[in-house]
Amino acid sequence: MFLSTFEKQLDAKRRLVVPQDFRALAAGPFEGVFCFPSIEADCIEGGGKALFDRYMGVIEELDFGDPLRSALETSVLGGMAKLSFDTAGRITLPESLCEMFGLTDWVVIVGLGDRFQIWQREAFQAHRAAQRELAREGLAQMRAQQRAARAGGAQ
């Protein structure tokens, strides 16, 4: 699983050192990762062959010509780049993705289990604060529902 959060600096050639643990998890048909514009947030999403296969499975469940299938194919497959590791464990981010998300200097790499995201540092700080609030509210609501269900079952 891709775990933890790392701050890394892009060099002048848009190269980024991928954490060693992430490199080991991304093993697959080539020595690198798949990256594309995230559907759910303003960042780059990436992962290994397992993530690619997961998206392909979702896409293939939809009928050919289905508007959602077309949207996913365009967004994920059309935006995807296969990024190989160099001898120092770096990937070179495509200029188009860097421009899309304002990645120029410091970035944050966030592990999300079977995938990871690459964020512009300040954008991630705001996103993380919003996600923590959403998690707190959601967990409190879930606990309240569980208590209500237990109380209802006790009658």
Side-chain angles (χ1 to χ4, degrees):
M1 292 183 68
F2 296 104
L3 301 174
S4 200
T5 300
F6 305 89
E7 286 194 15
K8 299 285 184 171
Q9 191 169 21
L10 288 177
D11 69 13
K13 296 180 181 179
R14 299 179 323 281
R15 291 181 300 199
L16 172 68
V17 176
V18 176
Q20 174 61 39
D21 291 348
F22 284 24
R23 291 193 306 263
L25 288 169
F30 72 104
E31 191 63 23
V33 292
F34 296 94
C35 288
F36 54 94
S38 176
I39 295 171
E40 66 187 45
D42 291 330
C43 64
I44 296 172
E45 186 165 321
K49 175 110 171 47
L51 178 67
F52 177 80
D53 290 345
R54 186 172 177 190
Y55 271 105
M56 284 306 302
V58 169
I59 289 168
E60 290 171 352
E61 285 181 27
L62 300 166
D63 292 333
F64 185 79
D66 182 298
L68 177 56
R69 180 181 177 135
S70 296
L72 289 170
E73 289 169 333
T74 300
S75 299
V76 176
L77 302 178
M80 189 171 284
K82 288 171 51 174
L83 307 178
S84 297
F85 299 126
D86 67 11
T87 56
R90 298 175 298 195
I91 55 173
T92 301
L93 297 177
E95 187 174 341
S96 60
L97 290 178
C98 289
E99 287 177 4
M100 187 181 291
F101 301 114
L103 306 178
T104 57
D105 190 19
W106 284 94
V107 299
V108 178
I109 305 172
V110 184
L112 300 174
D114 65 348
R115 62 196 170 109
F116 62 87
Q117 293 177 333
I118 302 172
W119 287 81
Q120 189 270 346
R121 184 165 58 179
E122 289 75 22
F124 177 68
Q125 291 169 351
H127 176 74
R128 178 173 44 197
Q131 290 295 295
R132 285 181 54 79
E133 186 60 32
L134 181 62
R136 285 180 178 144
E137 291 171 4
L139 189 56
Q141 183 179 20
M142 189 172 78
R143 287 179 178 155
Q145 290 171 346
Q146 289 170 339
R147 283 192 298 273
R150 282 193 300 271
Q155 296 178 5

